[in-house]
Amino acid sequence: MSKKISFLLKEYFEPEKRKFQALTQFSKEDFPIRPNQCEWEVFESPERFSKNFKFSSRKRLLDFVSEVLALEDEINHHGEIIINFDEVTIAVYTHTVNRITEIDQEYTRHVDNIHKDVLDFAY
């Protein structure tokens, strides 16, 4: 068995035979997992993420906002939340640098997951 593994990894341990173009031989369809596309809009002055969420009931909207507020307190990063009847708009950026940072990207992923959970929850 160890001979098979060493044979498979032979090119890895022999630097002169390494092929760094290996990934270019594949097309996007060859990969089973694709990263999620960000569905948040990016605005300028300051650079920020923004997204509208629409709800079929006031109860779902309230659950969503409640969960987002709990997330914000947990990660100590707060966005701007605007509620307009059955719609919530959230904008977020890092105020200290006036632009989008990694924590904002994490925030958007968590908010999207909260939104999905609220929509999937049976009332």
Side-chain angles (χ1 to χ4, degrees):
M1 179 108 148
S2 63
K3 287 185 181 183
K4 290 181 183 179
I5 292 173
S6 64
F7 175 76
L8 291 172
L9 297 174
K10 173 175 68 170
E11 289 181 358
Y12 179 77
F13 292 107
E14 296 174 7
E16 67 276 356
K17 292 186 179 181
R18 285 188 193 170
K19 295 181 181 177
F20 292 102
Q21 309 88 318
L23 289 178
T24 61
Q25 298 171 357
F26 297 99
S27 67
K28 289 181 181 178
E29 290 76 29
D30 292 327
F31 295 102
I33 299 173
R34 290 178 181 57
N36 292 336
Q37 295 289 329
C38 181
E39 297 174 356
W40 290 66
E41 292 182 78
V42 177
F43 290 93
E44 299 296 324
S45 298
E47 180 185 62
R48 65 198 180 281
F49 284 122
S50 182
K51 186 172 181 179
N52 293 328
F53 299 89
K54 194 165 174 100
F55 297 90
S56 60
S57 73
R58 191 79 169 162
K59 174 72 173 135
R60 287 186 194 273
L61 180 143
L62 291 171
D63 288 344
F64 173 74
V65 171
S66 176
E67 290 295 321
V68 170
L69 292 173
L71 165 72
E72 290 183 344
D73 289 343
E74 182 180 323
I75 65 173
N76 196 27
H77 192 68
H78 302 83
E80 177 183 272
I81 301 173
I82 300 171
I83 300 171
N84 185 12
F85 183 60
D86 64 347
E87 192 171 292
V88 175
T89 302
I90 298 179
V92 65
Y93 66 97
T94 302
H95 294 264
T96 55
V97 294
N98 260 359
R99 63 175 309 157
I100 294 169
T101 62
E102 191 173 315
I103 194 162
D104 302 304
Q105 292 172 336
E106 289 178 31
Y107 178 98
T108 62
R109 283 191 295 271
H110 287 297
V111 170
D112 283 339
N113 287 336
I114 291 169
H115 182 245
K116 183 179 179 328
D117 288 347
V118 167
L119 293 182
D120 290 344
F121 186 75
Y123 285 85

